[in-house]
Amino acid sequence: MTAPIPRLSARENLVGLKEMRRDQIDFIVRSVRDHGDIFQMRLGGLPAVMVNHPDYVQRVLVDNHQNYNKDNFLYRATRTVLREGLLANKGGEEWRLHRRIMQPTFSHSNVAKFTEGISELTGVLLRQWETNARDGTVVEVTSDVAGLALRIVLRVLFGLDADDRGRKFERDFLEVNAIIGNFFRFPFPPLSWKSPSRNRLRVLLAEMDAFIEYLIAARLKQDSDQTDLFTLLLHARDAETGAALTHAQLANEILSMIIGGYETTSNSIAWIFYQLAERPEMQQRVHDEVDGVLDGRVPAFADLANLPYTRMVIDETLRLFTPGWQTMRRAAAADVIGDYRIPKGTNIYLNLFTFHRHPDFWPDPLRFDPERFSAAEIAKRPRNVYLPFLSGPRHCIGKHFALAELHVITTMLAQTFHVTRPAGLPPVGFEPLLTLHPKGGIQLRLRRR
Ligand code: HEM
């Protein structure tokens, strides 16, 4: 026996349509509060079924994942930017083949090697910040850490440094992110139309494409025997046909990996720094841990396992400030989720912002508390309630790379500076673009330790 899926009233949807443009998170949080773990709603006017319970999410992402693809309106908008690269690929054979090609790049031993590049580039930024610390000037960290995260991806995955061009690429993508984020909230006019913002989008995309072409040309010129992601993509052959990736496929995968690899990470770092600055006792505990374990030494991959409290702070930040905060799948065929019948073609909406605040699984869910991630507390919780990288075959390919990166950067910051927020600033709010940004950036004062 299946039950009808609860739905928002016409009035709630109408109010939501307006409110989405003002505060998308507020609308979603209220809808979950009023309608529970599964319900039909309109997002920017388009129908979707929101699932907010781990069992339902497990059905979509893991148990019946073959039935759920990215051929839906959230990812259609994203594909305007990322085309058919891994992240936005609809799914199916091409996705499977490309995932198989790229997976070895993210092996445990490769991630261990990446940490050298991560710590070296982090050291460069921390040295730049020494001047701010000496002068007592406030640093707006989000833009600096976005630069760092982009340099890390370019260096460790593609063996390239592209500083000025890289900065421009970041600025372009930030604008694109806002245009697509707004489009999702109110999908009119279509992205293909001619209007000032759509024309601007086309210019930005052309600039981003030019950056990728520049990277490919630079890398092809290098006489290099590196075995990084670029080499893997370049030499990949289809097992059956022997065909190589076309130039467009290569470019799409590089763009997708760069965006996937720096945007989420840089937002996470900014939110982690914010937490440290807001909570002096917690920051002190991180300082004690990194000093005790490393005694001033640059962290190596093997050290990370000995810095569990720092990792707990990172995990709790990724719970409440999850950068990849919303996603969508489309049911290719009819299915049953829990007691509910899902018709073919349904758009399933998953919002990690509300999912990670589910009161049945997170006592006092809004409280920031790293202790939730002690080994004992983790053991008490079902595994599928915490999914900052999602789960199932399409979970984040860069998960372990990202966690190592966040761990190294947080550790090195803690070794070098004590951070505070300038007095009188209000709490930082959310800017829900395609990824979850801190609204207005994060301003910090740094003091050399
Ligand atoms: C804290 C950092 C990160 C977070 C929170 C994060 C989160 C996610 C999430 C939630 C997804 C699933 C999206 C969906 O299916 O709708 C995803 C997919 C993906 N991520 Fe990450 N990510 C992070 C870092 C990275 C890094 C460092 C890389 C690469 C270097 C990366 C590359 C990708 C790619 C390529 C996919 C698509 C995988 C596929 O569909 O097969 N991510 N990520």
Side-chain angles (χ1 to χ4, degrees):
M1 271 290 283
T2 53
I5 303 173
R7 57 170 72 227
L8 266 65
S9 67
R11 190 173 172 282
E12 284 172 310
N13 275 321
L14 202 63
V15 171
L17 188 63
K18 262 203 241 142
E19 204 171 303
M20 280 275 281
R21 300 175 78 175
R22 191 182 55 78
D23 191 337
Q24 180 182 352
I25 290 183
D26 217 37
F27 171 56
I28 306 281
V29 167
R30 212 187 43 245
S31 302
V32 168
R33 190 198 60 204
D34 295 347
H35 296 277
D37 288 339
I38 183 164
F39 52 86
Q40 300 181 58
M41 69 187 313
R42 287 189 169 263
L43 287 166
L46 301 171
V49 168
M50 162 114 190
V51 289
N52 199 51
H53 190 282
D55 293 349
Y56 303 158
V57 173
Q58 174 81 11
R59 172 80 189 164
V60 175
L61 297 182
V62 184
D63 298 343
N64 196 21
H65 67 86
Q66 312 86 318
N67 190 44
Y68 292 94
N69 59 43
K70 293 195 177 182
D71 190 8
N72 54 61
F73 60 86
L74 174 63
Y75 270 103
R76 255 195 301 282
T78 312
R79 270 195 296 279
T80 315
V81 187
L82 297 181
R83 328 283 156 67
E84 292 289 340
L86 204 61
L87 185 53
N89 191 290
K90 285 193 213 61
E93 236 353 274
E94 181 181 288
W95 166 78
R96 225 183 321 278
L97 175 66
H98 288 201
R99 174 104 188 187
R100 241 194 342 257
I101 293 169
M102 288 187 262
Q103 193 71 57
T105 309
F106 298 94
S107 67
H108 185 80
S109 58
N110 275 349
V111 170
K113 278 190 233 144
F114 294 163
T115 47
E116 271 171 46
I118 295 171
S119 58
E120 187 193 322
L121 292 167
T122 305
V124 174
L125 177 61
L126 294 177
R127 279 192 291 284
Q128 283 166 14
W129 281 352
E130 299 266 356
T131 321
N132 300 91
R134 257 196 316 274
D135 303 347
T137 44
V138 172
V139 181
E140 198 290 285
V141 293
T142 46
S143 138
D144 284 353
V145 295
L148 172 61
L150 181 59
R151 278 194 293 279
I152 289 173
V153 169
L154 291 178
R155 167 82 70 87
V156 305
L157 297 184
F158 301 104
L160 286 167
D161 293 305
D163 257 6
D164 289 347
R165 286 188 166 88
R167 298 304 299 189
K168 172 139 184 34
F169 176 81
E170 266 164 56
R171 284 194 302 273
D172 286 349
F173 183 67
L174 193 59
E175 248 189 274
V176 168
N177 200 339
I179 294 174
I180 303 286
N182 284 334
F183 178 73
F184 180 67
R185 281 188 282 279
F186 189 69
F188 192 81
L191 291 171
S192 56
W193 280 26
K194 290 202 163 46
S195 75
S197 79
R198 303 314 187 240
N199 296 345
R200 177 72 187 144
L201 179 65
R202 277 186 281 278
V203 170
L204 293 165
L205 293 180
E207 285 174 2
M208 285 169 56
D209 286 346
F211 177 68
I212 301 300
E213 289 306 325
Y214 158 78
L215 292 182
I216 294 175
R219 203 34 224 279
L220 287 174
K221 250 193 265 153
Q222 262 181 18
D223 188 17
S224 148
D225 56 0
Q226 294 180 88
T227 49
D228 55 16
L229 185 61
F230 184 85
T231 324
L232 275 178
L233 288 169
L234 197 65
H235 297 305
R237 295 290 177 271
D238 188 305
E240 276 169 27
T241 64
L245 263 57
T246 64
H247 185 84
Q249 284 174 324
L250 180 69
N252 289 347
E253 292 303 354
I254 293 175
L255 176 65
S256 179
M257 198 57 80
I258 290 175
I259 299 292
Y262 96 91
E263 239 284 322
T264 41
T265 322
S266 73
N267 280 300
S268 314
I269 301 165
W271 286 119
I272 293 165
F273 287 8
Y274 173 60
Q275 295 310 321
L276 293 174
E278 285 282 280
R279 296 162 212 281
E281 339 68 59
M282 194 182 83
Q283 184 171 180
Q284 187 58 52
R285 241 183 109 177
V286 172
H287 286 174
D288 293 345
E289 181 173 88
V290 302
D291 294 352
V293 173
L294 298 168
D295 194 20
R297 197 163 47 76
V298 173
F301 184 70
D303 293 314
L304 300 180
N306 300 320
L307 298 164
Y309 185 73
T310 310
R311 172 64 192 267
M312 285 156 65
V313 170
I314 294 167
D315 287 340
E316 177 67 341
T317 307
L318 291 179
R319 180 179 75 87
L320 285 174
F321 304 85
T322 259
W325 67 294
Q326 60 178 353
T327 188
M328 193 173 270
R329 298 289 189 267
R330 179 173 184 274
D335 189 21
V336 174
I337 297 184
D339 291 334
Y340 303 98
R341 210 182 78 73
I342 301 291
K344 174 180 172 175
T346 303
N347 292 306
I348 303 285
Y349 179 61
L350 165 61
N351 188 299
L352 292 176
F353 188 95
T354 53
F355 187 72
H356 283 167
R357 285 166 171 74
H358 200 305
D360 291 355
F361 306 103
W362 305 98
D364 196 2
L366 303 190
R367 190 164 52 86
F368 187 92
D369 180 9
E371 295 302 328
R372 297 180 200 273
F373 289 92
S374 66
E377 288 299 316
I378 292 175
K380 284 189 209 156
R381 255 191 322 265
R383 283 183 60 205
N384 56 359
V385 302
Y386 179 64
L387 301 176
F389 300 96
L390 289 195
S391 56
R394 291 205 77 163
H395 76 277
C396 176
I397 199 171
K399 172 179 174 180
H400 297 290
F401 170 21
L403 286 170
E405 181 176 348
L406 299 183
H407 215 159
V408 168
I409 295 174
T410 308
T411 300
M412 290 180 72
L413 176 88
Q415 286 178 305
T416 319
F417 296 115
H418 178 266
V419 294
T420 49
R421 295 182 73 219
L425 289 184
V428 174
F430 296 106
E431 184 163 21
L433 309 183
L434 275 181
T435 42
L436 193 63
H437 282 237
K439 196 170 195 160
I442 288 177
Q443 282 75 25
L444 294 184
R445 234 183 255 293
L446 312 169
R447 180 164 50 75
R448 188 75 167 91
R449 293 192 55 217

